[in-house]
Amino acid sequence: MIRFFFNAKIISSGEILKKNSILIDDSKIIFIGTKEECLDYIKKKKLDYEEIDCKDNYLSSGFIDLHCHGGGGYDFMDGDDISIIKASQLHLKHGTTSIYPTSMTSNNSSLFAFFKNYKKAINTNETIPNFLGLHLEGPFFSPKQCGAQDPNIMQLPTLENVKAIWEKGKDIIKRWSIAPELEGGYLSGDFLTSKNIHLSMGHSDATYAQVKEAIKHGYSHVTHLYSGMSTITRKGGFRVLGLVESAYLFDQLSVELIADGKHLPPELLQLIIKTKDNSKICLITDSMRGAGQGEGPSILGNKKDGLKVFIEDEIAKTMDKTCFAGSVATTDRLVRTMVQQANLPIEKAVQMMNENPAKFMKIDKSKGNVKIGLDADLIIFDEDINIKKIYILGKEVKQKL
């Protein structure tokens, strides 16, 4: 059965198309044109079809979240597959059609349990976003930039340590955030790049010179820009650039932003989009279990030994409320923030939430855009980015999640 979407403002590659209709067949986009052109295509091929009137709302490829820890009261590392399913379903409701469940720094046994439970979750019969693989955030970080992660269980990214984890998750690990300046960081970068794992610099105290070297060893991305990373310091009176400044200077580096309007204030978001090429900016939720929950106490990390936090003002805080302790954002909120607070055109903000992440992960031949031949992961939403309809591989998500 052909599905015929019409009366849509179609967002593709950071632009609003002049064409306002598309056709999908099973799981793929097969035609883009005006309403009349689509009907003519249907008539010539004598196709059965279903009409979907988009009512002048926006239609785009679904959102891709590169970095997410949980939501809906669940954490991906709670220790069971149900938590992985339920957390991802919360984000699906907000337009996330593809997701990379993300670990936190933990001991290897907890990490390996996460791998096992992820493999169970992807075989569920429940409706979930596309699970595209895992993002490992840690345990190879600088204790000086630990943020909310436990510095006591951080490791050095020696080849021995990296291989021990990679061997257990080599079929599901797709990206890895590492502090490259640590012992073994460059050599491990070479190894992981050879295994097609996308490397990012995060929770890092790297200097400009170390970032420059890391790029030679496969590091191509910066994890949550400004959060958990070095900036300008003085050594002997001379200013030494850190990872923040390096992210701007190296055009080949892409970056990701927690665009909740809290981690990065609107003025800083405006500076980033003014300075960094838009095609190199991805939006991420970096959300913890509190995403989609109301204000009140919560836990950052797994239920067993996670950090007690308090959610208020649309963000998680430490119990003494002196600093942030995690995002509770959803992908629709990220786009809304970029449009309404950073003054970015909606089509450019959407591009940061689908096409740019797809390009970073090298899946743009199948996902992240409205183009003929790509997967029909589609969302329909209004001017305020309120999600109206969601389709995964051409099938509408109808059931209550």
Side-chain angles (χ1 to χ4, degrees):
M1 172 71 73
I2 299 297
R3 287 187 172 86
F4 170 32
F5 297 79
F6 62 95
N7 292 340
K9 289 180 282 193
I10 300 171
I11 296 177
S12 177
S13 297
E15 296 181 351
I16 299 176
L17 302 184
K18 293 181 180 179
K19 309 288 188 177
N20 67 351
S21 303
I22 70 167
L23 301 176
I24 66 172
D25 181 3
D26 294 327
S27 63
K28 302 288 184 181
I29 300 168
I30 62 169
F31 191 81
I32 302 172
T34 64
K35 182 177 181 180
E36 293 73 21
E37 288 169 340
C38 286
L39 287 170
D40 187 54
Y41 180 95
I42 290 170
K43 182 178 179 181
K44 284 181 178 179
K45 293 188 176 290
K46 299 179 181 179
L47 302 171
D48 293 326
Y49 67 97
E50 172 192 357
E51 291 187 350
I52 297 100
D53 186 353
C54 297
K55 300 178 181 179
D56 205 36
N57 286 305
Y58 291 96
L59 182 149
S60 79
S61 178
F63 299 146
I64 300 173
D65 196 354
L66 293 171
H67 186 156
C68 178
H69 296 279
Y74 300 90
D75 188 279
F76 287 129
M77 294 189 71
D78 273 343
D80 57 81
D81 57 315
I82 299 302
S83 294
I84 295 174
I85 292 166
K86 294 299 183 183
S88 68
Q89 287 178 331
L90 178 280
H91 290 282
L92 175 58
K93 290 196 297 184
H94 292 270
T96 301
T97 57
S98 295
I99 196 166
Y100 291 85
T102 302
S103 68
M104 288 184 68
T105 291
S106 65
N107 57 49
N108 283 8
S109 61
S110 294
L111 197 57
F112 298 159
F114 174 44
F115 296 171
K116 181 179 179 181
N117 290 320
Y118 172 81
K119 290 178 181 179
K120 288 182 182 178
I122 60 178
N123 291 314
T124 182
N125 291 322
E126 294 195 44
T127 301
I128 56 175
N130 300 298
F131 280 9
L132 301 183
L134 299 181
H135 167 210
L136 302 192
E137 190 182 15
F140 307 119
F141 288 153
S142 168
K144 296 178 182 178
Q145 298 290 349
C146 62
Q149 309 226 24
D150 187 350
N152 297 312
I153 53 175
M154 290 178 176
Q155 304 178 33
L156 293 174
T158 63
L159 201 53
E160 179 183 7
N161 288 344
V162 167
K163 282 186 175 181
I165 294 174
W166 176 80
E167 286 288 348
K168 291 288 187 177
K170 58 186 174 183
D171 54 337
I172 53 176
I173 301 169
K174 298 301 179 183
R175 65 167 296 208
W176 208 325
S177 292
I178 296 172
E181 75 280 4
L182 299 177
E183 179 187 342
Y186 301 145
L187 188 60
S188 291
D190 293 332
F191 171 76
L192 293 172
T193 301
S194 74
K195 304 302 180 182
N196 297 315
I197 293 175
H198 302 281
L199 296 179
S200 182
M201 292 174 273
H203 292 273
S204 166
D205 216 30
T207 63
Y208 171 86
Q210 290 168 327
V211 172
K212 185 177 181 180
E213 184 64 24
I215 291 171
K216 298 177 184 177
H217 295 274
Y219 293 86
S220 61
H221 190 73
V222 176
T223 300
H224 46 48
L225 184 63
Y226 281 96
S227 296
M229 66 184 60
S230 53
T231 186
I232 294 175
T233 56
R234 281 184 180 269
K235 293 185 179 179
F238 295 96
R239 288 183 176 85
V240 178
L241 277 59
L243 182 50
V244 169
E245 296 76 29
S246 301
Y248 289 116
L249 283 170
F250 290 104
D251 293 338
Q252 64 267 53
L253 288 176
S254 54
V255 303
E256 61 187 41
L257 312 179
I258 309 173
D260 58 0
K262 306 294 181 179
H263 282 80
L264 305 175
E267 299 81 8
L268 188 51
L269 291 172
Q270 291 169 18
L271 173 64
I272 294 167
I273 61 178
K274 183 177 181 179
T275 309
K276 191 74 179 173
D277 189 290
N278 279 17
S279 68
K280 291 292 188 178
I281 300 174
C282 305
L283 307 182
I284 59 160
T285 62
D286 194 15
S287 62
M288 45 81 77
R289 74 175 67 247
Q293 303 286 284
E295 293 194 346
S298 186
I299 298 173
L300 176 65
N302 67 59
K303 291 178 182 177
K304 182 180 178 181
D305 52 12
L307 177 69
K308 291 183 179 181
V309 301
F310 195 87
I311 300 171
E312 67 176 6
D313 301 325
E314 298 183 305
I315 196 164
K317 302 176 182 178
T318 55
M319 293 304 289
D320 61 8
K321 301 183 182 180
T322 59
C323 62
F324 295 161
S327 161
V328 295
T330 50
T331 50
D332 54 346
R333 176 180 164 188
L334 304 177
V335 175
R336 191 178 301 116
T337 298
M338 295 303 292
V339 173
Q340 297 179 358
Q341 298 185 35
N343 303 320
L344 191 66
I346 192 169
E347 60 271 23
K348 298 297 183 185
V350 166
Q351 185 181 27
M352 293 177 179
M353 200 73 259
N354 51 30
E355 184 182 22
N356 293 354
K359 285 185 173 179
F360 166 55
M361 295 303 298
K362 293 183 171 56
I363 57 168
D364 53 309
K365 298 300 182 184
S366 61
K367 296 190 181 294
N369 220 331
V370 179
K371 289 185 177 180
I372 294 173
L374 269 61
D375 291 343
D377 296 333
L378 304 170
I379 54 175
I380 299 171
F381 53 94
D382 63 18
E383 292 282 349
D384 293 321
I385 306 90
N386 296 307
I387 307 298
K388 303 296 184 180
K389 289 189 176 185
I390 303 165
Y391 294 81
I392 295 180
L393 296 174
K395 296 182 179 180
E396 185 176 2
V397 177
K398 290 183 177 181
Q399 66 194 73
K400 185 177 181 180
L401 299 175

